[in-house]
Amino acid sequence: MDLIDTLSPPLPALERPWARRLRDSETLWEIARGVGGGPFHVIHPATFAGNLGELVAALAAERVEGTVYYGKKANKAAAWLRECTRPGTGVDVASVPELVHALGNGVRGEAIGVTGAAKPDGLLWLALRHRCLIAVDAADELERVARLATELGETAEVLLRVRPPSAPDSRFGFAPDALKAAVRGCAEPVVLRGFSFHLDGYDPVPRAELAASLIELCRDARTLGHPASKISIGGGIAVSYVDAESWARFESGRHDGWFHARRNPATTYPYHQAPTGAAMVTAVLRHEIDGKPLAQRLRDNRIELLLEPGRALVDGAGFTVFPVLGCKPAEDHLITTVAGLSMSLSEQWKGSEFLPDPVLVRRDGPGGTPVRTIVAGSSCMEYDVLTWRAVELPARPRIGDLLVYPNTAGYQMDKNESGFHQLPLPPKVVADGDRWHVDTDHPIQEIR
């Protein structure tokens, strides 16, 4: 017997106005018909552009030079890339297909950062040909960069990735002694432009303090003749999916009985945080180290700050829609089955759960008696479940209704999607007011 003890408190998502308008419009049903009745993702480049502009403005407000690189791994859509061609922006990639995709959508090589560990020669070759900024992770990679640059007759613009002192067991970055050797080893055709790091978590303070230590690395590198003038603090710009009160209520009472089969995940994303987005960037820049804000230290030392956010740029810029296929009882709750697979909500495949409440959109409008349900995918796997937590819907879902999962553009949409059962991957639909089109790899149709 599978009894859910009590209904968990609601976790309504924080949604942008465009998403609410579209969800309640006839256009959503038009899209559903147009894509053939399966699941689909809706994305909104205008929201991405707004988020990007806010981060660029946060740097400018503190009079800090820098670049905001979109961490492309967060979402594969091409539509975002056209927004990354404006001044002060770029794209962060970690594979040949990602680099080609960015170049094919108008992002110049000089505005592309290439990261990741142990990059293959093919990626380094293409990055060097297009004069991308390469974050080097290890001594043997630095040797390969130098060799390939020499063969090509190109200059290699590099950052050296630092292993954070707080993560001595990390597989990424140079340990202190190896970093000193790498700095000494940078010589023509390799140009050391600065240093980078990535931190887990979403606290502004460790980022500011580690960035301050990288300023000192730049100063030391300059004494050796290197033009070190850039620091990348990576991504990890926080996002809030639900409000503070809802999250606190959920976390304070959370227990196994709220979840089907008692599948209460051990860890989840912190669905409410503060500060977030541009406010977090401002907090990093204003944090004082020995009485001096990081922003002032950057200015005094003529150092640019590079950011590589992914989730924060697509925050509020997309949602995912699953058509309902059926609904049946399971003791004291329902099991709603939808078209598609739980792989289209990647959080489920990290031993976790995407917790913001799904929204029921009924073809015949509101009405009915509230029910509580979990949501399952349409595969033959017992664990193909989109929402293990019993959530309350305003009415029993009917075949043909739509379940909308809000704010899924950040990592949820396509990180783990699979063609299992030979099901097609859900298309991404670009929304522009009441107009829409399917996202394509190369959206440039004409030059005006």
Side-chain angles (χ1 to χ4, degrees):
M1 179 179 294
D2 176 38
L3 292 176
I4 289 180
D5 299 342
T6 56
L7 184 69
S8 79
L11 285 171
L14 300 171
E15 294 182 90
R16 303 294 177 94
W18 77 268
R20 291 193 297 269
R21 285 195 300 268
L22 180 56
R23 194 183 70 216
D24 296 334
S25 72
E26 182 59 33
T27 302
L28 186 69
W29 294 99
E30 179 185 313
I31 296 171
R33 292 189 297 270
V35 301
F40 58 93
H41 306 295
V42 178
I43 61 175
H44 194 244
T47 294
F48 177 96
N51 294 337
L52 183 60
E54 288 176 2
L55 294 189
V56 172
L59 293 175
E62 303 302 316
R63 294 181 289 122
V64 170
E65 297 292 326
T67 302
V68 180
Y69 294 90
Y70 167 51
K72 193 179 183 309
K73 62 184 179 292
N75 191 293
K76 299 182 180 73
W80 319 121
L81 299 175
R82 292 291 298 279
E83 306 298 336
C84 298
T85 59
R86 65 188 71 187
T89 69
V91 178
D92 168 53
V93 305
S95 70
V96 169
E98 285 188 339
L99 177 50
V100 170
H101 200 199
L103 291 168
N105 281 275
V107 184
R108 292 178 176 173
E110 294 91 337
I112 296 174
V114 180
T115 57
K119 293 172 276 296
D121 281 358
L123 176 57
L124 295 175
W125 184 91
L126 191 61
L128 289 166
R129 287 289 297 155
H130 288 277
R131 300 179 182 176
C132 303
L133 182 64
I134 302 171
V136 174
D137 190 75
D140 60 349
E141 183 174 85
L142 185 60
E143 292 172 1
R144 288 191 294 118
V145 167
R147 173 178 57 81
L148 287 167
T150 300
E151 292 173 359
L152 289 168
E154 297 283 359
T155 297
E157 309 272 342
V158 307
L159 305 177
L160 297 180
R161 181 167 175 174
V162 176
R163 183 178 300 169
S166 60
D169 297 324
S170 173
R171 68 186 182 93
F172 297 108
F174 287 90
D177 289 343
L179 181 65
K180 291 178 183 177
V183 171
R184 292 193 300 269
C186 286
E188 194 174 330
V190 176
V191 177
L192 177 57
R193 290 298 178 189
F195 301 88
S196 69
F197 66 82
H198 288 255
L199 287 180
D200 289 336
Y202 304 94
D203 187 344
V205 173
R207 282 172 171 75
E209 294 184 347
L210 187 50
S213 72
L214 266 58
I215 292 175
E216 295 307 311
L217 291 178
C218 286
R219 288 166 58 93
D220 292 344
R222 288 172 180 175
T223 66
L224 298 175
H226 300 295
S229 62
K230 299 178 187 288
I231 290 173
S232 173
I233 65 171
I237 306 301
V239 168
S240 277
Y241 289 79
V242 301
D243 63 53
E245 183 180 351
S246 298
W247 185 240
R249 189 186 311 117
F250 176 84
E251 285 285 85
S252 65
R254 177 176 175 166
H255 64 93
D256 295 352
W258 288 351
F259 295 80
H260 181 74
R262 307 186 75 80
R263 288 281 294 265
N264 181 6
T267 59
T268 64
Y269 184 85
Y271 284 98
H272 178 81
Q273 303 180 79
T276 61
M280 179 176 168
V281 174
T282 300
V284 170
L285 292 171
R286 292 183 179 178
H287 178 70
E288 295 189 358
I289 301 98
D290 296 330
K292 184 181 291 188
L294 175 64
Q296 185 177 342
R297 289 175 175 272
L298 293 166
R299 294 194 303 267
D300 290 349
N301 289 280
R302 304 182 310 283
I303 289 177
E304 300 174 48
L305 188 69
L306 313 182
L307 309 174
E308 300 167 17
R311 190 190 300 260
L313 290 182
V314 294
D315 180 28
F319 60 77
T320 300
V321 182
F322 296 92
V324 173
L325 292 180
C327 190
K328 67 180 182 181
E331 298 299 341
D332 63 342
H333 62 285
L334 301 174
I335 298 176
T336 299
T337 300
V338 297
L341 305 171
S342 58
M343 279 82 95
S344 294
L345 284 180
S346 73
E347 206 72 22
Q348 315 306 94
W349 290 85
K350 294 162 59 179
S352 187
E353 174 106 348
F354 186 71
L355 288 172
D357 293 341
V359 178
L360 177 65
V361 181
R362 306 190 73 196
R363 191 67 186 95
D364 54 2
T369 302
V371 298
R372 55 183 179 177
T373 186
I374 69 162
V375 183
S378 57
S379 82
C380 62
M381 300 180 296
E382 187 73 56
Y383 49 85
D384 183 15
V385 175
L386 287 78
T387 300
W388 292 91
R389 177 175 64 98
V391 295
E392 184 172 270
L393 298 179
R396 182 184 179 113
R398 299 173 181 170
I399 296 174
D401 288 347
L402 303 176
L403 270 182
V404 175
Y405 280 81
N407 203 2
T408 54
Y411 291 106
Q412 300 306 316
M413 287 185 178
D414 52 21
K415 184 178 179 183
N416 288 316
E417 281 194 327
S418 165
F420 189 62
H421 285 315
Q422 293 186 276
L423 293 172
L425 298 183
K428 291 188 180 73
V429 174
V430 179
D432 179 12
D434 59 358
R435 297 179 299 171
W436 62 275
H437 65 271
V438 175
D439 182 66
T440 59
D441 279 348
H442 302 289
I444 300 173
Q445 300 299 323
E446 60 182 73
I447 304 298
R448 294 185 179 182

